[in-house]
Amino acid sequence: MVLEGGATRGVFTSGALDYLMEQEMYVSHVIGVSMGSCNAVDYVSRQPGRTRDCSIPDGKEETYIYGPRKFLKEKSLMNMDLIFDKYPNETYPFDFETYSQSEMHCDIVATNCLTGKAEFLDERSDRARLMKICRASCSLPLLTPIVNIDGVPYLDGGIADSVPMGRAEEIGNEKIIVILTRNKGYRKKPLSPAVERLYRRQYRSYPNFIRTAVTRSLYYNKTMNHIDRLEQEGKIFVLRPLVKPISRMEQKKEHLLAFYDHGYHLMEREYERLMKYLEK
C-alpha cells in the first residue's frame, strides 16, 4: 500500500485507513510519504482514529500550525515538537509495542539532503528514533527545519518521491493499493522563479537537494501518468478524493472533518471493489 502525503490533506487517507482497520484489513507492506508516513505507522500499530485525532486537534491551544509571528520566532510553520513528541508520548499515545512486533513491513520515505534521493527508513527498537524518522519525512522545505538522523540531514520525503510506485514495484508486490490526496488528473506545476530562488538560497549547501526540488514536478507528473496507465489496465487499485481537496495547511475543524469523512465513506463504498481486486 502506497500512501501519498499532502500535509493536512492526509486526513483523507486517515479516514480510508480507519475504515480498513475497522474491517481488520491489513496488508503485508505499507509505504508512507510525509503525512502518509504518520498514517502508515498508525496503520501498522493498529490504532484507528489516532492520525485523525492528531490532525484535527480539539482545542486552539493544541493547534500545530503557527501564525506568522511564531513562524518567524521558531523558524517553523508547524509545532513539530507537539506532533512528534507530546502527541505520541502524552496526548495521543502511540502503541510502539504493537508497531515493533508487527509483521507488516513499513517504509517511511525521507529525502536525503546530501544526495537528493529518497530513502526508505524504519525503526523497530527505538521509539524516539522512529518518531524522528517520521518527523524528517514530514519536514516541509522552507517551512520547517532540516532533521538530522545519524548525522545525515533529511527533509520531506515527497520532494524526492511523492508517490513511490517504483519502490512498491521493485520489491515485487503482486497487488498494489495507492491512496492519493489529490483529484484524478492533477499534475504539479514547476516551481516559480521566486520559489526556486528561495530554494537555491536556503539550501545552497545541498546542491543535490536543490536539483531534486527543482525537477520534482517532472518526476511527480511522470509517476501520475504511470499510475493512470496501471489503473486503467486494472493492475493497481487507486483511491483518490472525488471532492475538491482541502489546502495542505487547512486549520478549520469542520473542513478537516469533512475531508476525513470523505475518505472514510469513499473507502466504505469502494471496499467491495478493493476485495475483488485483491482476490483476482
Side-chain angles (χ1 to χ4, degrees), residues 162-207:
S162 297
V163 186
M165 276 297 300
R167 173 69 170 179
E169 291 171 306
E170 73 183 18
I171 56 182
N173 287 304
E174 293 181 5
K175 301 288 184 176
I176 300 175
I177 302 166
V178 182
I179 302 182
L180 304 174
T181 59
R182 293 278 199 177
N183 299 130
K184 187 175 180 64
Y186 171 79
R187 297 295 185 268
K188 283 192 183 297
K189 297 178 181 178
L191 291 180
S192 69
V195 173
E196 183 176 335
R197 285 195 295 271
L198 284 174
Y199 268 92
R200 293 190 181 282
R201 183 167 69 242
Q202 181 76 12
Y203 302 110
R204 56 187 175 276
S205 299
Y206 306 108

Side-chain angles (χ1 to χ4, degrees), residues 28-44:
S28 61
H29 197 139
V30 58
I31 309 171
V33 183
S34 194
M35 174 63 175
S37 70
C38 296
N39 278 305
V41 297
D42 287 342
Y43 178 72
V44 176

Side-chain angles (χ1 to χ4, degrees), residues 203-217:
Y203 302 110
R204 56 187 175 276
S205 299
Y206 306 108
N208 290 325
F209 177 80
I210 293 172
R211 190 177 303 111
T212 298
V214 169
T215 59
R216 180 189 184 189
S217 62

Side-chain angles (χ1 to χ4, degrees), residues 67-117:
R69 281 189 190 175
K70 197 77 171 175
F71 171 58
L72 291 174
K73 180 182 178 182
E74 301 291 337
K75 294 181 173 56
S76 177
L77 185 64
M78 304 196 316
N79 187 342
M80 303 297 271
D81 290 336
L82 178 69
I83 301 169
F84 297 105
D85 186 3
K86 185 176 180 180
Y87 278 0
N89 294 313
E90 300 175 26
T91 315
Y92 309 108
F94 176 70
D95 188 350
F96 183 72
E97 183 176 356
T98 297
Y99 181 87
S100 63
Q101 295 175 1
S102 175
E103 294 182 356
M104 278 188 281
H105 295 280
C106 186
D107 281 333
I108 300 166
V109 187
T111 300
N112 183 320
C113 296
L114 298 175
T115 64
K117 296 181 179 180

Side-chain angles (χ1 to χ4, degrees), residues 11-23 52 179 237-243 254-274:
V11 295
F12 171 82
T13 305
S14 305
L17 293 182
D18 281 355
Y19 182 80
L20 292 183
M21 285 189 273
E22 288 175 7
Q23 310 311 308
R52 175 201 62 208
I179 302 182
F237 176 93
V238 182
L239 191 82
R240 53 168 73 81
L242 299 181
V243 301
E254 61 269 27
H255 293 172
L256 291 164
L257 280 172
F259 204 47
Y260 166 86
D261 288 341
H262 179 55
Y264 181 95
H265 292 300
L266 188 58
M267 181 58 85
E268 181 181 31
R269 194 178 88 187
E270 295 292 317
Y271 188 68
E272 185 177 347
R273 183 171 71 89
L274 172 59

